[in-house]
Amino acid sequence: MMQFQGYRRADGRVGTRNYVGVISSVVCANEVAEDIARQVDGAVSFTHHQGCCQTPLDLKRVNTVLIGLGSNPNLASVLLVSLGCESTAVQEVAAGIRACGKRVEIIGIQDCGGAARTRAEGTLIVQDLVSEACHIKAEPCPVSELVLGMKCGSSDTTQGLSATPAIGWLSDTLVEAGATTVLGEVTEFIGAEHIAARHAATPEVGAQILELVERMENRAKAVGCDMRGGQPTGGNIKGGLSTIEEKSLGAFAKAGTAPIQAVYEYGQKPTKKGLVVMDSPGREPEILTGLAAAGCTVIAFATGRGAPQGFPFVPVVKITGNARTWEKMRDHMDLSVAGVIDGSESLPQAGAKLLERVIEVASGARTRSELTGYTRAMDIYVLGPVI
Amino acid sequence: MTRDAIAIKKQDNVATALRNLAAGEVAHVGREEESMAVPMVEAVEFGHKFALYDISRGTDILKYGEVIGRATADIPRGAHAHVHNIESLRGRGDLVQGS
């Protein structure tokens, strides 16, 4: 059985990192959350633009996503930073995270009497949390405990020929070993949904996939224009991708050949093992946040043109099949599978290389985005307006 | 022989350039087990597509053996096939009645 060095948490889930999370409850508390995390080695902040002046449906989603993020096993404990007058249900979020057996502290800027006092008090709390977290040691864990998120971005036409099929190979191998793999980016099912539906483990799951895709396409169509330029993006088009259908067919190769066991809402934790689908858009901050909230502990990210984004507490492994991108964007790329394009490497060879890299990263090896500090791609995906 | 371009399935009518191709050269296209030679009628950049046959306006464009869009103009064999002569059939709010 393949193993990695992970951090086992009270709820039985296993993390690949051991950070203390400083989570902002609302857009208005972001600066203070960032400042506190910066003061203590071993702490990371999560900030976003939601939590107030939104529809009740979106506010409920903010609560759920914050609970999911705080419960992610890559965090040992959490400090919630609140302003005090926001709509986020801060106590409910804290209780939701505590339910997984983690220590959660709350600090309020209006309660404390301003940013300076909150920073000072919050920093002392986080020092305490980090020194507690230091006692938790990584231990050998089977790869079946991994929850892999899958994503592609800054796409070009090499991707569907190399990097996304390599991720598909990785997903198949991990699923075979008993792990969970999560596919998002429903926008990039448009034009490939017939293939996605064929992957469904049951007819009900197939129908749910088609419904998700229809919902996403209708959202895009509701604005009354051709979505090309938005999806595929301007950069995709420069890279040679002509239509969303072409982008989708290349992106869907990430699914590999395993059956899709279930479909989940954005940020919802999968209860089934194996390959699952989560509703999410394609843009990096929102999908990376959704995958983290769902409990993904490592993310495999295919990129043709060179997407540099990472996430604060979930390592993101970048894979490119474009030899030029590997050369030019070297400080953002973790693995090249360009050999699949020039014919010097087979797909299983590339997949095995990727598996090895993902296990190293899950065991603590730093990704390029962690090394470069490019780890701030985060935000919560909401459906309604800011009001 | 090294491949200059790749087509994924036998039914595909476009191929993807694996290097910058110049007008006038002959591109060697790998497609499943076979190889075909396509004289380029215009330059096609790395990663971009070109027609493997004469494609007439209104024809489906096939890649991965699947429909990726439709030709909005005649695309001669060896010509660049991209957003200027291929339209998407999906996410088209502009085609919804009343908009």
Side-chain angles (χ1 to χ4, degrees), chain B residues 28-97:
Chain B
H28 296 283
V29 183
R31 185 169 66 168
E32 297 195 43
E33 301 310 303
E34 61 186 48
S35 173
M36 61 195 291
V38 178
M40 301 302 296
V41 299
E42 58 188 346
V44 173
E45 260 186 70
F46 167 78
H48 286 233
K49 296 177 294 299
F50 57 91
L52 291 172
Y53 314 101
D54 289 332
I55 299 173
S56 48
R57 187 178 171 204
T59 306
D60 284 342
I61 305 295
L62 294 166
K63 182 184 170 185
Y64 302 107
E66 303 283 343
V67 177
I68 63 158
R70 185 166 51 204
T72 54
D74 292 342
I75 313 174
R77 182 178 194 218
H80 188 205
H82 199 23
V83 290
H84 60 291
N85 53 21
I86 301 177
E87 66 175 346
S88 173
L89 305 174
R90 305 296 300 274
R92 294 291 298 270
D94 57 327
L95 301 181
V96 175
Q97 227 166 15

Side-chain angles (χ1 to χ4, degrees), chain A residues 157-158 160-161 190-191 193-195 198 217 221 224-228 237-246 249-250 322 324 340-343, chain B residues 3 6 8 16-20 45-49 63-64 66-70 81-84 86-94 96 99:
Chain A
T157 48
T158 65
L161 304 173
I190 298 177
E193 65 268 64
H194 53 297
I195 301 172
R198 279 207 297 267
E217 188 172 13
K221 275 158 77 171
C225 50
D226 183 350
M227 71 173 183
R228 185 152 77 178
I237 292 171
K238 273 198 191 114
L241 288 170
S242 307
T243 64
I244 185 63
E245 297 93 310
E246 181 182 13
L249 289 161
N322 184 326
R324 276 187 237 178
V340 178
I341 299 279
D342 68 26
Chain B
R3 299 181 296 198
I6 188 166
I8 293 93
T16 303
L18 297 178
R19 62 175 176 84
N20 289 338
E45 260 186 70
F46 167 78
H48 286 233
K49 296 177 294 299
K63 182 184 170 185
Y64 302 107
E66 303 283 343
V67 177
I68 63 158
R70 185 166 51 204
H82 199 23
V83 290
H84 60 291
I86 301 177
E87 66 175 346
S88 173
L89 305 174
R90 305 296 300 274
R92 294 291 298 270
D94 57 327
V96 175
S99 70

Side-chain angles (χ1 to χ4, degrees), chain A residues 51-64 87-89:
Chain A
C52 211
C53 304
Q54 295 177 273
T55 64
L57 203 67
D58 280 338
L59 288 170
K60 191 164 167 259
R61 168 171 288 196
V62 170
N63 294 337
T64 314
S87 304
T88 308

Side-chain angles (χ1 to χ4, degrees), chain A residues 302-364:
Chain A
T303 178
R305 292 172 59 80
Q309 303 91 330
F311 190 79
F313 57 85
V314 181
V316 180
V317 180
K318 295 285 167 53
I319 308 117
T320 189
N322 184 326
R324 276 187 237 178
T325 298
W326 177 246
E327 217 37 37
K328 280 191 78 175
M329 293 289 283
R330 188 67 193 88
D331 62 335
H332 302 290
M333 297 297 113
D334 293 286
L335 188 72
S336 167
V337 291
V340 178
I341 299 279
D342 68 26
S344 64
E345 190 173 50
S346 71
L347 190 61
Q349 282 171 328
K353 229 167 56 178
L354 174 57
L355 174 65
E356 192 185 337
R357 186 73 195 131
V358 164
I359 289 175
E360 279 170 9
V361 166
S363 303

Side-chain angles (χ1 to χ4, degrees), chain A residues 94-385:
Chain A
I97 303 170
R98 283 185 193 119
C100 72
K102 232 172 247 195
R103 185 172 160 197
V104 180
E105 299 294 333
I106 303 172
I107 195 163
I109 299 167
Q110 289 166 346
D111 260 2
C112 267
R117 289 190 180 92
T118 314
R119 276 189 211 107
E121 204 169 305
T123 301
L124 292 169
I125 295 171
V126 171
Q127 285 176 359
D128 193 33
L129 293 175
V130 170
S131 56
E132 246 177 44
C134 289
H135 295 294
I136 308 165
K137 293 276 171 274
E139 55 184 271
C141 300
V143 292
S144 57
E145 302 281 9
L146 281 179
V147 183
L148 174 80
M150 299 183 284
K151 153 88 187 127
C152 49
S154 198
S155 304
D156 70 356
T157 48
T158 65
Q159 236 169 260
L161 304 173
S162 55
T164 57
I167 292 179
W169 190 96
L170 171 74
S171 172
D172 283 348
T173 307
L174 289 177
V175 165
E176 180 87 7
T180 305
T181 63
V182 186
L183 191 63
E185 297 183 296
V186 171
T187 329
E188 294 171 24
F189 284 28
I190 298 177
E193 65 268 64
H194 53 297
I195 301 172
R198 279 207 297 267
H199 267 256
T202 65
E204 292 73 33
V205 171
Q208 283 176 307
I209 292 170
L210 294 177
E211 194 196 312
L212 266 193
V213 177
E214 195 186 348
R215 207 163 79 175
M216 187 64 85
E217 188 172 13
N218 286 341
R219 259 177 235 151
K221 275 158 77 171
V223 293
C225 50
D226 183 350
M227 71 173 183
R228 185 152 77 178
Q231 279 289 10
T233 66
N236 294 156
I237 292 171
K238 273 198 191 114
L241 288 170
S242 307
T243 64
I244 185 63
E245 297 93 310
E246 181 182 13
K247 181 171 173 176
S248 295
L249 289 161
F252 197 74
K254 294 197 296 298
T257 58
I260 297 171
Q261 300 294 346
V263 171
Y264 295 102
E265 289 294 332
Y266 178 78
Q268 196 185 352
K269 184 173 80 130
T271 50
K272 290 215 161 130
K273 289 264 183 186
L275 172 66
V276 301
V277 163
M278 179 190 80
D279 184 21
S280 84
R283 194 167 69 177
E284 280 75 9
E286 288 83 357
I287 184 180
L288 295 179
T289 299
L291 292 172
C296 291
T297 50
V298 60
I299 294 168
F301 187 136
T303 178
R305 292 172 59 80
Q309 303 91 330
F311 190 79
F313 57 85
V314 181
V316 180
V317 180
K318 295 285 167 53
I319 308 117
T320 189
N322 184 326
R324 276 187 237 178
T325 298
W326 177 246
E327 217 37 37
K328 280 191 78 175
M329 293 289 283
R330 188 67 193 88
D331 62 335
H332 302 290
M333 297 297 113
D334 293 286
L335 188 72
S336 167
V337 291
V340 178
I341 299 279
D342 68 26
S344 64
E345 190 173 50
S346 71
L347 190 61
Q349 282 171 328
K353 229 167 56 178
L354 174 57
L355 174 65
E356 192 185 337
R357 186 73 195 131
V358 164
I359 289 175
E360 279 170 9
V361 166
S363 303
R366 296 281 160 152
T367 61
R368 286 287 173 156
S369 60
E370 289 175 303
L371 287 174
T372 54
Y374 216 132
T375 54
R376 313 288 296 159
M378 53 187 162
D379 215 339
I380 301 172
Y381 170 51
V382 292
L383 301 173

